[in-house]
Amino acid sequence: MVDSTTDVRPSTLESSLNNNIQALLKETGGQNAFQKGMLRWSLQRKLEADPSCSVSLIRLLVKELKKRQEMIQKTQSFTHVIPVLHMLYSVVIKSGVMIPTSLFQTVYDRLMKLLILPSPYSTVAHSTMRSIKMEMTTPGSLYLRTVTAEQNLRKEHHALQEKVFVLADPAVFSAPLEAAVRAHLEASNFLKDAPTMERNVLQRVLQTGLGINCQSSRLAQALEALEEPMVEKHFQEVILAVEKSLKQGAEGRANYLNKLQHIYRDILSASKEDGPRLDPGSVRSTAMPFPGINFLLWREEEDLWNLLANFACSNSASVDEEEKDKRDSVQSRDSGIVRDRNDCDDAVTSPVRNHAPAISRRNGYKNSSLADKLSLVMKKMEACPGSSPLLDENRGHHTARVVVLGDNRVLGRLSRAYHSIRKRESKHLILTNKLNIRLYYIPVTDGDPSLSSTGSPCQDGGTLSLSSLLGRVDPWYNNNINSLGAAISKLTGKQANKSESPVQNHYLLDTLCYYLRCGTQPVNVPLYSVKITRSSSEGQSVVEEMFVSHLEADIPEFRHLKEKLSKRTSVWPKKPTKVLGAVISVSYTKISLSRRQVVDGEATMIYGVAVTSEPAALTSGVNRLDVMFDSLNPVYNSTIKTQSITIRTLEHRTLSVCLDKDSRRTYTDVQRLDITPCLDPGCDIGSRRSLVPIVDFSKYLDKALSLPIQTFTGVTV
């Protein structure tokens, strides 16, 4: 008699998984982000608890892709393509069982058909397809590469490392919130001994590659009994086998599986008989461990440079010996310039205000290295949406993943720090040839309006406008990351109540890791330079600043009238009244429908100006500024759209200016503002005194500097 449970369980399991998928897709695209992200996390926990369901889940996701592609042909709706692709990748990398080659081939064929979709959907499909092909030819390779890099395990044949830096804005994170977030994130640093990690990797790769030919419980027992030198030996053998198989492609699959079988037998035969005994049904947990996370309050902009320089220089010996040889020969190439060979020491120990020069002159002029300049240009090209991040990160560079927590203010600080890094690198390469830098943003707000000073033009509202922008261009980001920010803001109360279970405590870590591993597509947020001319007793002074989201300016003499007007419920009186406001001069480049630029100018009577960045992702393909003039008289209220503008005060009045809604970046006594797109210091590769004519490739690039924030979708502009 046939056991009916063998037929019922798969159908019951698939029905349950399908319900989870449909609920998750229905949730995507909704307006309320507070409870979002929990369904995806619940599905992830279900997969970790029962890895055997991964095959059923992959089948369902392939069917869902087919359904979505058919709907696209009818409705041109692409909303759910990205979520399904990322779920598919996540299931493949987290699956602890052998996935049939025939199923992999079905997935691959379906992804091939998605390449005809417009970008960014075809870009994400292509990235997923490459990962599927890697896993199809070399089972376990995605898991091995990810874990060995994140855990910085000892390895001879795959020396790439990753590090995660989480920087929180002190203006948003109170002491209780900081303690709560730190407690959640520091859980990632427990149980980090290398031998245990190496045993887990061996277990996972062998059982994924060998399938039914691997007795998981017996292998776990043998690995537990194995001495550490032998664990290290077999660990290195597996890494070498994976790298060799990836180079050979599909032709190397058979040799790879034979090598895994050989290593498996060696482990079983080498284990001691008197080693520790495990229960026959027990299997070593091979769930992907959390990466090590460095959490700190970001008090000084220089902190980011120091963290990256320390990481780059601590691993510089293992990155490239070629770079060292190039530095040793710099004196002969630079026509009298002696370069300090201890670059990393200078980069880390030099204080910001007295930055020691990395180059000293000796009867010669500086001949900039063309190779260094081209490296910066290539980095800019790789940061464009549609690039291949997986390939880029495997070009012999370590990867620094920088996650910032806060509102618009922390992105303003990140913009300044990022510009400073590009400017330093344009003069002396320290990070570019050693690190891939990936920037991530998790919006967090304290919701306390008291942070905005009454003596500042900064407005209380709109402090999460950039996260809202990212959520609009990427619904999967809105679903998982914007919702995570809402959950972080409520951690203080949960910490006080002690009501969370250990499993619930992992929600923040699990979602953060999901973002780090799957958020591979950048959205380039434009940056703007501001030249601020101020009046003082000693004359005029000029400050060079920049902003990413907002610039707000008002005239202090009319601030009290503005507050009264905002509370007034009646309409403006029809009878003649005294017009209150200041006359300012405005000159700007107008954006016309034909995209031809027209310089225009006008004088208007206002009490304030609000400048908001509108990235190309939300407009007709052109980055622009929306400039709103506010007056006590509605007749003078107006809005213009431009890419650059100059504002000058008249009548001996001055402005008070606030950048990115950050009261810490407020400037008073301002007479003139010159706002233009921020130029990338790394795009100027020409040399005024170069003896050899060169091709200036930078002229084919957009020289404007953008902040590349990693998302799940990315935007091509």
Side-chain angles (χ1 to χ4, degrees):
M1 182 176 179
V2 179
D3 186 1
S4 60
T5 59
T6 59
D7 297 327
V8 174
R9 185 182 181 276
S11 60
T12 304
L13 174 64
E14 289 196 4
S15 177
S16 175
L17 292 174
N18 187 59
N19 290 338
N20 292 143
I21 294 173
Q22 297 306 319
L24 181 55
L25 295 179
K26 184 178 180 180
E27 178 189 65
T28 305
Q31 297 300 318
N32 185 16
F34 174 65
Q35 291 294 340
K36 291 185 176 181
M38 295 299 295
L39 287 177
R40 186 209 57 79
W41 182 61
S42 300
L43 187 60
Q44 173 184 324
R45 301 294 299 184
K46 180 181 292 188
L47 178 62
E48 292 175 354
D50 183 11
S52 63
C53 71
S54 58
V55 174
S56 298
L57 190 53
I58 291 173
R59 288 198 184 99
L60 291 171
L61 291 172
V62 173
K63 291 179 182 178
E64 193 64 34
L65 276 179
K66 181 180 179 181
K67 185 198 306 183
R68 296 298 160 185
Q69 190 171 16
E70 292 172 352
M71 291 180 62
I72 288 173
Q73 297 174 355
K74 298 177 181 178
T75 64
Q76 292 295 306
S77 175
F78 301 91
T79 305
H80 295 135
V81 173
I82 299 293
V84 176
L85 288 172
H86 282 300
M87 281 192 283
L88 183 61
Y89 171 80
S90 182
V91 172
V92 170
I93 196 174
K94 287 179 174 294
S95 173
V97 298
M98 172 180 273
I99 298 174
T101 306
S102 59
L103 180 57
F104 266 139
Q105 189 61 50
T106 301
V107 175
Y108 190 83
D109 293 342
R110 176 53 52 187
L111 293 175
M112 280 286 291
K113 295 178 180 179
L114 295 179
L115 296 183
I116 64 173
L117 298 181
S119 184
Y121 309 101
S122 58
T123 302
V124 178
H126 182 254
S127 177
T128 307
M129 188 174 68
R130 288 188 298 113
S131 300
I132 294 296
K133 188 174 182 179
M134 280 179 58
E135 196 67 15
M136 182 165 57
T137 58
T138 311
S141 57
L142 289 176
Y143 178 91
L144 180 140
R145 279 193 160 189
T146 301
V147 173
T148 52
E150 288 181 351
Q151 304 302 324
N152 298 326
L153 296 179
R154 302 186 301 271
K155 42 201 176 296
E156 301 170 1
H157 309 287
H158 185 66
L160 300 184
Q161 297 184 9
E162 295 183 2
K163 213 160 193 177
V164 180
F165 303 99
V166 178
L167 308 180
D169 188 357
V172 172
F173 279 72
S174 61
L177 183 57
E178 177 204 353
V181 173
R182 187 182 298 276
H184 281 70
L185 295 182
E186 285 181 348
S188 66
N189 297 319
F190 295 150
L191 303 175
K192 287 291 184 181
D193 65 296
T196 300
M197 292 291 179
E198 290 172 357
R199 288 186 174 95
N200 290 345
V201 171
L202 286 170
Q203 174 91 30
R204 175 63 173 268
V205 175
L206 290 174
Q207 71 185 28
T208 302
L210 300 179
I212 60 174
N213 295 322
C214 174
Q215 299 180 22
S216 299
S217 58
R218 187 181 175 192
L219 176 61
Q221 182 173 327
L223 286 171
E224 196 68 32
L226 210 60
E227 295 181 352
E228 290 186 10
M230 293 302 296
V231 172
E232 172 69 15
K233 172 180 176 293
H234 293 305
F235 177 70
Q236 297 295 342
E237 289 177 346
V238 166
I239 290 181
L240 180 59
V242 167
E243 295 303 315
K244 185 176 180 180
S245 175
L246 290 175
K247 289 180 181 179
Q248 294 176 345
E251 294 79 9
R253 176 180 168 86
N255 292 334
Y256 170 70
L257 296 180
N258 288 336
K259 183 62 177 177
L260 291 189
Q261 187 69 44
H262 179 73
I263 295 172
Y264 172 70
R265 290 171 180 170
D266 284 351
I267 292 175
L268 294 184
S269 61
S271 61
K272 297 180 179 179
E273 294 297 331
D274 56 350
R277 297 288 178 179
L278 302 179
D279 295 335
S282 65
V283 177
R284 174 179 295 277
S285 173
T286 60
M288 294 192 73
F290 300 121
I293 295 175
N294 301 272
F295 176 79
L296 70 155
L297 289 182
W298 193 8
R299 300 188 185 279
E300 301 292 338
E301 288 180 13
E302 186 71 7
D303 292 344
L304 178 57
W305 169 267
N306 290 335
L307 289 171
L308 296 176
N310 273 312
F311 178 41
C313 296
S314 64
N315 297 286
S316 59
S318 63
V319 177
D320 53 8
E321 293 296 331
E322 197 175 309
E323 184 65 22
K324 180 181 177 182
D325 295 337
K326 286 190 340 187
R327 287 200 301 268
D328 291 343
S329 62
V330 161
Q331 181 174 348
S332 62
R333 291 190 291 110
D334 282 1
S335 304
I337 300 176
V338 180
R339 189 186 296 258
D340 183 359
R341 296 181 184 181
N342 198 3
D343 295 341
C344 294
D345 291 342
D346 289 343
V348 177
T349 60
S350 297
V352 185
R353 297 177 180 82
N354 299 304
H355 184 64
I359 298 177
S360 59
R361 286 209 167 270
R362 193 192 63 202
N363 299 327
Y365 61 84
K366 177 180 177 181
N367 185 11
S368 301
S369 169
L370 177 60
D372 289 354
K373 293 290 186 180
L374 286 175
S375 296
L376 289 169
V377 173
M378 288 179 63
K379 282 289 183 181
K380 183 178 181 68
M381 294 172 65
E382 291 169 0
C384 295
S387 62
S388 302
L390 283 177
L391 292 178
D392 297 341
E393 291 178 7
N394 290 328
R395 288 179 179 172
H397 295 175
H398 299 306
T399 300
R401 305 192 185 277
V402 180
V403 186
V404 294
L405 307 181
D407 51 26
N408 288 356
R409 293 171 289 181
V410 78
L411 285 180
R413 171 171 288 187
L414 180 62
S415 302
R416 286 162 51 97
Y418 183 66
H419 179 269
S420 175
I421 289 173
R422 294 287 292 181
K423 189 173 182 179
R424 286 187 178 188
E425 292 293 287
S426 68
K427 298 177 181 178
H428 184 198
L429 286 187
I430 294 177
L431 304 180
T432 303
N433 288 338
K434 298 180 178 69
L435 289 182
N436 291 306
I437 302 174
R438 300 288 180 258
L439 305 178
Y440 302 80
Y441 171 51
I442 299 178
V444 182
T445 181
D446 55 358
D448 185 3
S450 63
L451 286 176
S452 295
S453 171
T454 55
S456 166
C458 296
Q459 302 297 314
D460 295 343
T463 57
L464 294 179
S465 61
L466 283 176
S467 69
S468 176
L469 180 151
L470 294 174
R472 278 182 283 168
V473 300
D474 185 352
W476 200 232
Y477 178 94
N478 186 60
N479 206 68
N480 293 282
I481 307 307
N482 282 345
S483 62
L484 181 62
I488 290 175
S489 301
K490 298 182 177 296
L491 284 180
T492 306
K494 294 181 179 180
Q495 190 81 356
N497 296 333
K498 303 291 183 181
S499 59
E500 285 186 309
S501 66
V503 174
Q504 288 175 319
N505 281 333
H506 287 165
Y507 172 65
L508 171 56
L509 267 174
D510 284 335
T511 307
L512 174 59
C513 292
Y514 180 77
Y515 184 24
L516 294 173
R517 291 164 183 159
C518 295
T520 58
Q521 306 299 321
V523 168
N524 290 322
V525 182
L527 304 180
Y528 290 91
S529 296
V530 188
K531 184 178 178 181
I532 302 175
T533 304
R534 307 173 68 187
S535 62
S536 64
S537 57
E538 300 177 358
Q540 290 187 338
S541 62
V542 177
V543 178
E544 297 286 347
E545 257 283 8
M546 60 191 308
F547 69 94
V548 65
S549 61
H550 296 87
L551 180 149
E552 293 166 317
D554 67 6
I555 300 171
E557 291 91 327
F558 300 103
R559 190 174 295 151
H560 66 287
L561 297 173
K562 169 187 172 183
E563 294 171 359
K564 288 182 180 179
L565 184 64
S566 63
K567 297 177 182 178
R568 184 180 300 172
T569 57
S570 60
V571 297
W572 189 270
K574 295 182 180 180
K575 63 181 181 179
T577 59
K578 182 180 179 181
V579 178
L580 298 174
V583 177
I584 64 171
S585 173
V586 179
S587 177
Y588 62 95
T589 303
K590 185 177 181 181
I591 299 179
S592 62
L593 292 176
S594 62
R595 295 190 179 181
R596 284 183 291 184
Q597 297 181 342
V598 180
V599 177
D600 203 348
E602 63 181 39
T604 184
M605 183 169 290
I606 56 97
Y607 64 74
V609 181
V611 182
T612 305
S613 172
E614 290 291 334
L618 299 179
T619 63
S620 58
V622 178
N623 293 324
R624 71 169 192 238
L625 296 170
D626 285 354
V627 185
M628 294 175 288
F629 299 96
D630 295 322
S631 173
L632 295 175
N633 189 338
V635 174
Y636 296 101
N637 288 337
S638 62
T639 301
I640 62 175
K641 302 182 187 300
T642 182
Q643 289 182 312
S644 59
I645 187 170
T646 297
I647 300 173
R648 291 187 298 112
T649 60
L650 304 175
E651 301 176 340
H652 304 290
R653 299 186 187 276
T654 60
L655 297 169
S656 179
V657 178
C658 177
L659 302 174
D660 290 322
K661 297 188 178 292
D662 191 346
S663 59
R664 296 165 295 183
R665 298 171 61 199
T666 299
Y667 296 88
T668 57
D669 301 323
V670 176
Q671 292 181 322
R672 175 174 174 145
L673 293 172
D674 295 282
I675 305 174
T676 57
C678 182
L679 297 180
D680 187 348
C683 279
D684 182 14
I685 68 172
S687 177
R688 290 175 296 178
R689 299 182 179 180
S690 177
L691 301 179
V692 181
I694 62 173
V695 179
D696 187 2
F697 294 103
S698 67
K699 66 184 180 181
Y700 301 108
L701 288 175
D702 180 6
K703 294 186 180 182
L705 181 64
S706 298
L707 189 65
I709 301 297
Q710 299 298 125
T711 64
F712 301 100
T713 300
V715 176
T716 301
V717 297

